[in-house]
Each structure stands twice: as C-alpha cells, then as structure tokens.
Amino acid sequence: MNNYRYKKAFTMAEVMITLGIIGIVAAMTIPNLMGAYRKKVVETELKKAFFVISQTIKMSEVYNENAAYWGYADISDAAERHKYYKKFSDLYIKPYLKYTSTGIEVFKVYYSDGSYSNLSTSLDKSPHYKLSDGLFLEFTPRVNEEHEKSNGYVMIVYVGTTNRSKKDELIEGKNLFAFTVNVDDSSSKVGLAPQWYLNWSCQKLENDRTTFINNCRKNQRETSGVPSSIYCTYMIYCNNWEIPEDYPIKF
C-alpha cells in the first residue's frame, strides 16, 4: 500500500492564516526597525560632520589667521552677498575640505509638520560641499565680526544628512541640522558646537526641555531668532550624540 497518501499536510486555510500572522508581525516590527536604522545613520553622520567641520576649521587656521578674524562682512545686497559667500568659502573652506563635488543649489526647506521654512537666506546660493558618503556641508559666515562676536558666533554650518527622500528637499531636524562656530570674546578662541549663544549648556536644555522640544518641532525664528535645526541638533548633542526618546520628529 502507498503510505504517502496518509501523510499529514497543511491545509490552504492554515497556510493563509500563517502568512497573515507573519504579515501582521512584519507590519508591526519592520517600521520600527527601519526607524531605528535611520536614527542610527543620522547619529553617525552628525558625529562625522562635527569632526569634519572641526578639522576643516583647524586646518584653515594653520594657513590663515584665527577664525575669529576671517573678514566677516555685513552685505545687504543679495547678489553681492552671494559673491561674498563664494569668496569666503574659496579662501577659508574649500582648500581644506575633502569633498567630491561643490556647487550652489537651492534647497526647499520644510518643518516636520510639512510647512515651508523661511531658511532660504542661509540655504540659498551659499556654496555647499558634498562628501563621499552623500553628506553635504554648507558654511555661511555671519555679518560683521564685532556684531556677531557679541552674540557668540561668527559662522553657521548646515549639515544635510543622507536620509533625504528628494534631492532638493530638506526637513529641519530630520535631515537638516546645524552647528555654529562660536567665539570666546575674552580669548577669541573659536569652538564648534550646535548652539546659538555661548551661554547655552546641556543643563540649560534640561531645565527648559519643553521649550527645546517645541522649538525643534516648529519654527521659532520670529521670536527667538534661532533656526529649528539648532534646537534639534542640540538635543542630540546633549544626549551623547543619540536621538533622545522625547525627540519630537519621527524617522
């Protein structure tokens, strides 16, 4: 007698139920896994950007004067200001940065809620540099030295991470972050940090965490003068370069 006819097998209904369960589990876990992966990529890229920017400024200072005195200028005319950005970058940044391509590209910048950002003055026709891994850096000097030194910074450096769905679109706090080049008035010592003023500290963040969360999530430049990307970067920086659990933007 042929015993194969008596072997047990899964019915079609059982197979479909099993596949359905697998699908449900995958739908629940894969987005979380992908989100965790995207977070890790951003954390790694921000640490790298911080190092690259720091080394670029230090190398430039070897051949040029202290970065506190790099000829910052207040230029109101847009066309002349864009020429100045390029001249500044060509002199102080370009020779000391390893990059794969450079150019002037207009990016559309948004907040995490989908509303349009008014960050175009800093991300418009200022030279940006693309690194070999897809990161891009944009160095923007800030008006005249004495005025900005009183506020503690002389340059802002925007970082575009690689988690961009569209080449020309950026979202503050998700794939657009920012560091400032800060100057100590007493010594003219230059340091790099994701902060706007020298009196910022991680303790200040902890004491006023709700404000930082809200300002990271939504534009507050009209009231505080600080881009959302600065608040977001500072939250990550003060959490040992890890995106905190209460970070207001999803990945």
Side-chain angles (χ1 to χ4, degrees), residues 31-42:
N32 291 333
L33 291 174
M34 293 300 297
Y37 171 75
R38 287 190 289 266
K39 284 183 179 180
K40 183 59 64 177
V41 169
V42 168

Side-chain angles (χ1 to χ4, degrees), residues 38-56:
R38 287 190 289 266
K39 284 183 179 180
K40 183 59 64 177
V41 169
V42 168
E43 292 164 355
T44 301
E45 291 182 342
L46 281 180
K47 284 189 286 186
K48 176 183 178 179
F50 187 88
F51 175 78
V52 170
I53 297 166
S54 299
Q55 292 303 110
T56 300

Side-chain angles (χ1 to χ4, degrees), residues 46 49-50 53 119 122-123 136-138 155-161 171-182 192-196 200 226-237 241 247:
L46 281 180
F50 187 88
I53 297 166
L119 205 58
S122 293
L123 281 170
F136 85 79
L137 307 176
E138 184 173 305
M155 193 189 319
I156 187 166
V157 186
Y158 288 101
V159 177
T161 51
I171 299 174
E172 289 202 67
K174 185 173 185 178
N175 49 39
L176 176 64
F177 301 88
F179 298 99
T180 53
V181 180
N182 304 292
L192 182 70
Q195 62 187 32
W196 201 247
W200 275 27
V226 185
S228 298
S229 47
I230 290 283
Y231 288 103
C232 298
T233 309
Y234 206 59
M235 289 186 66
I236 299 171
Y237 170 79
W241 293 112
Y247 193 74

Side-chain angles (χ1 to χ4, degrees), residues 57-76:
I57 293 172
K58 289 178 182 178
M59 183 63 68
S60 183
E61 286 185 317
V62 171
Y63 295 93
N64 301 293
E65 59 185 337
N66 186 303
Y69 306 103
W70 278 0
Y72 305 96
D74 186 3
I75 301 175
S76 57

Side-chain angles (χ1 to χ4, degrees), residues 107-122:
F107 294 94
K108 299 174 184 176
V109 182
Y110 298 88
Y111 301 110
S112 59
D113 63 0
S115 59
Y116 189 70
S117 169
N118 62 350
L119 205 58
S120 58
T121 52
S122 293

Side-chain angles (χ1 to χ4, degrees), residues 7-21:
K7 285 191 173 182
K8 292 184 178 180
F10 292 111
T11 65
M12 181 59 71
E14 290 172 328
V15 171
M16 294 303 294
I17 291 172
T18 302
L19 291 176
I21 294 172

Side-chain angles (χ1 to χ4, degrees), residues 205-220:
L205 165 62
E206 289 305 311
N207 294 340
D208 198 11
R209 195 167 188 87
T210 300
T211 297
F212 274 79
I213 291 173
N214 291 337
N215 291 355
C216 170
R217 180 188 295 114
K218 180 63 179 174
N219 175 32
Q220 295 294 324

